[in-house]
Structure formats: C-alpha cells, structure tokens
Amino acid sequence: MTNLITLPGLVDVHTHLRVPGGEHKEDFASGTAAALAGGITTVLAMPNTSPPLTQPAVLAETLEKAQRSIFCDVGLFAGASPESIANLVELSPSTVALKIYLNDTFGPLRVEDLPTLNKCFRLWPRSKVIAMHAEGQSVAVGIGLAAAYQRPVHFCHISRKEEIELIAAAKAQRLPVTCEVTPHHLFLTQDDAEQLGPLGDMRPRLAAAEDVAALWAHIHSTVDCIATDHAPHTLEEKQSDTPPPGVAGLETSLPLMLTAVKEERLTLDRLIKMMATNPRQIFKLPIQPDTHIEVDLDDEYTITNEMMHSKCGWTPFAGRQVVGRVQRVVLRGQEVYSQGQVTAEPGSGKVLIV
Ligand code: DOR
Ligand code: ZN
Ligand code: ZN
C-alpha cells in the first residue's frame, strides 16, 4: 500500500556543509544530496568552517565551489568574530544572514564581548536576519539586543524549558524574535546521551525530559521552525579521545516529525509551517516555483546508518521506527531525487542571495 502525499519543498535554516576545510565530513554535493533525501530543497549553511566564513575572499571561493556542486538551493551565513568585524558590510550582499556564536561549540567563531555585539547590530544590514547560537542566559542577551536595536533576532536550536519560556514571554511583548528547535532535542533526552556516548553529544547538549516536554508544549505556538543543525563528524572523530560535538540530521528530520504527526503530537499543517513556510518567511527566501516533494505516509521503516547519503554515514536515530519516506523531489519542474537516488546534475541548485 502506498499513501502518497505532496508537500512543499522543505527548508532547513541550520545546516553544516563543512566547506571549506571539513570536506572529509561533508561537502556541497553530499550534504545537498542528504538534504534532498530528507525532502529539503533549500538549506542555509553555517559559517563555522575552516577557515570560517568571515573573510570576503574565503566567502567568494566557497560560493564558487557551491555553485559547481550543489543539488539543491543553498544560502550561506556570514560569521561574526571580533577580529573580522570590519568585514561584515562586505560579506552581507552574498550571504543570507549573520550567525553569532555566544557560547562554546565546534570551531573557533565566538563573540563574548558587548562591544563586538553592538558592532554586529550596527553594521549588519537591517534587512537581514541575525541568528544566534545562544544558550541559557545568552538568550536574554539576544532578546535585549533585539529590543534595543528593534530588529529581528533568530535563536538557533532552543533546547531548554527556561529558554523557550523566555522567548514566549518576549514574543508576548511583541519583540521581533523567532526560534528553531531541532529534532534531536525533541526526540532524545539526557538518558539517550548516556546510551549513545559521543554519538549523542552536541551543543546544546541533550536535555532533561522536562525540557523536552516544554519544547513540545510550545510546538504549536512559540516554535517557529524545525531546523536540523545537521553537524556531521566522522565515526573515527566521534570515537577519538577528543570527540567533536554534533550529529547529522537532514535525512531523519521529516520522518521523525511525520511520525509525531501520526502520533497526534502535532498537525501536518503545523509541520508544513515549521519546516517550509516560516523558515522562508523569517529569512526572506525566494519561493521555488514548481517545487514539491512526494512522501509515502504508509511506508513504515527502521532508520539505519546505511541509508544515509551524508558522508558521515551514521545517525543517532539508527534503530528507530518511523513513518514517511521521501519518494520523489521536484525542484523548479525537474525531478532531482527519486527512490533513494539523486537524479539532478551537480550545480543545478541555486546559490541564494537575498
Ligand atoms: O553540536 C554542534 N555541532 N553544535 C554546534 O553549534 C556546532 C556544530 C558543529 O559545527 O559541529
Ligand atoms: Zn549552534
Ligand atoms: Zn549548528
């Protein structure tokens, strides 16, 4: 039996494609193939690369590489750091948004001082979003900046009860803030982290059951987007003495969320809002005409490491039962993915400039 439904091409506003410098973990071809396999036709790629996307020359070279190899549409984030703050204006025309890391995570990008934060808010064009990796009380810092400068701030991977409640309070005051939540923070807890070891380690870390419950309690209200924070690292790196934080997510996000729809934890309408409509609206992304995905809702299966298109070849969700398999993806009238295979030409995706 098949029960095919058609959905809009999904948008992931938080993907690590690892170019430049981390191509052994992922590259533009493998990462955008993984996106299509997950029903995602637009990804926004993070700037914590090596070197990071804080220099115009690095950005220009990275855009060229992307244009040669991407299978779906890709927009790049510019990165903020105290040393390269003067570059922000020059980076802005060829990126979709600015990413500021306020807390510790993978890579060297960090902004931990108020003078630099002020400069980010003064220099970055008002027409473009500022996104933040902010954990705990850093969320309050971000809300304060959004209020003071009266401009949109998007909070990445919100994972704790007190954070989602603070964002709900900020929204109630009509402050221009939005947020995303990842599937791993919705479907895994600290207990899973213990079982998974380094394969369950990411930033923000997996949280308590109470935090997960709070995220679900806000799923029809405060949570604007589901974003994957697809952060691939090789198994070898994960099993080393210094495992880097991060897990893949592009290919498991939709089936996990569709399984939650089946279990009546959210509606299909809400899923479409959080995985397509809202991300597009918040980041002002262009619509993709004649674009849709076809998903078999009757296909029940177990997630395996082997089915991953991502170079990393593993997922913390291996062994989990889900429903909903992406059968086919059509991008601008062209079939780009069918029955597990990418059918697009490398470079047929567009680099997004907003
Ligand atoms: O777990 C994470 N991994 N969190 C981040 O913020 C960065 C990411 C990465 O780039 O590996
Ligand atoms: Zn982050
Ligand atoms: Zn990330």
Side-chain angles (χ1 to χ4, degrees), residues 44-101:
L44 300 188
M46 285 294 161
N48 64 333
T49 49
S50 184
L53 302 184
T54 54
Q55 306 295 331
V58 176
L59 180 64
E61 204 183 316
T62 306
L63 284 169
E64 255 176 56
K65 279 186 199 157
Q67 196 49 83
R68 283 198 295 272
S69 43
I70 52 181
F71 293 115
C72 72
D73 293 356
V74 174
L76 299 181
F77 278 91
S81 74
E83 314 77 57
S84 61
I85 204 75
N87 295 337
L88 287 187
V89 172
E90 203 179 332
L91 295 171
S92 64
S94 35
T95 52
V96 295
L98 177 66
K99 176 71 181 282
I100 309 179
Y101 291 88

Side-chain angles (χ1 to χ4, degrees), residues 218-286:
H218 285 264
I219 206 85
H220 284 102
S221 52
T222 317
V223 179
D224 298 282
C225 310
I226 300 297
T228 68
D229 197 4
H230 177 82
H233 297 287
T234 66
L235 262 186
E236 201 186 341
E237 290 165 335
K238 280 296 211 180
Q239 288 160 352
S240 73
D241 292 338
T242 52
V247 297
L250 286 169
E251 296 165 78
T252 46
S253 182
L254 179 61
L256 287 165
M257 295 309 293
L258 284 171
T259 305
V261 170
K262 187 178 175 190
E263 291 166 356
E264 299 184 350
R265 304 179 80 185
L266 80 157
T267 63
L268 187 59
D269 275 357
R270 186 68 192 162
L271 180 153
I272 294 168
K273 267 222 129 136
M274 293 190 296
M275 298 184 80
T277 325
N278 288 348
R280 237 176 244 296
Q281 195 177 18
I282 291 166
F283 287 87
K284 302 182 181 163
L285 304 176

Side-chain angles (χ1 to χ4, degrees), residues 144-352:
L145 288 161
Y149 287 96
Q150 298 226 7
R151 56 177 299 171
V153 170
H154 177 77
F155 290 97
C156 301
H157 44 47
I158 288 301
S159 66
R160 299 301 193 266
K161 182 173 190 278
E162 56 274 18
E163 296 168 353
I164 196 75
E165 288 178 350
L166 181 61
I167 290 173
K171 287 184 171 199
Q173 295 304 317
R174 302 195 166 279
L175 294 176
V177 297
T178 54
C179 72
E180 68 190 36
V181 166
T182 71
H184 50 264
H185 292 118
L186 286 170
F187 292 92
L188 299 172
T189 67
Q190 279 162 1
D191 294 345
D192 298 295
E194 263 169 51
Q195 296 286 315
L196 288 161
L199 300 189
D201 183 39
M202 74 292 287
R203 299 292 174 278
R205 290 187 170 88
L206 293 176
E210 197 191 346
D211 295 302
V212 175
L215 298 180
W216 281 106
H218 285 264
I219 206 85
H220 284 102
S221 52
T222 317
V223 179
D224 298 282
C225 310
I226 300 297
T228 68
D229 197 4
H230 177 82
H233 297 287
T234 66
L235 262 186
E236 201 186 341
E237 290 165 335
K238 280 296 211 180
Q239 288 160 352
S240 73
D241 292 338
T242 52
V247 297
L250 286 169
E251 296 165 78
T252 46
S253 182
L254 179 61
L256 287 165
M257 295 309 293
L258 284 171
T259 305
V261 170
K262 187 178 175 190
E263 291 166 356
E264 299 184 350
R265 304 179 80 185
L266 80 157
T267 63
L268 187 59
D269 275 357
R270 186 68 192 162
L271 180 153
I272 294 168
K273 267 222 129 136
M274 293 190 296
M275 298 184 80
T277 325
N278 288 348
R280 237 176 244 296
Q281 195 177 18
I282 291 166
F283 287 87
K284 302 182 181 163
L285 304 176
I287 57 153
Q288 296 169 309
D290 297 324
T291 298
H292 70 268
I293 68 173
E294 293 164 22
V295 184
D296 183 359
L297 278 188
D298 274 356
D299 197 342
E300 276 197 61
Y301 58 100
T302 305
I303 293 173
T304 66
N305 292 328
E306 289 69 35
M307 62 175 65
M308 296 297 126
H309 290 74
S310 168
K311 253 189 208 181
C312 74
W314 63 274
T315 159
F317 293 106
R320 190 176 279 250
Q321 277 284 118
V322 288
V323 298
R325 196 190 296 266
V326 176
Q327 293 285 351
R328 194 163 169 265
V329 178
V330 174
L331 176 58
R332 286 183 284 276
Q334 300 287 318
E335 180 185 280
V336 289
Y337 178 90
S338 176
Q339 317 283 345
Q341 301 295 325
V342 172
T343 54
E345 290 296 318
S348 56
K350 274 192 183 169
V351 173
L352 299 177

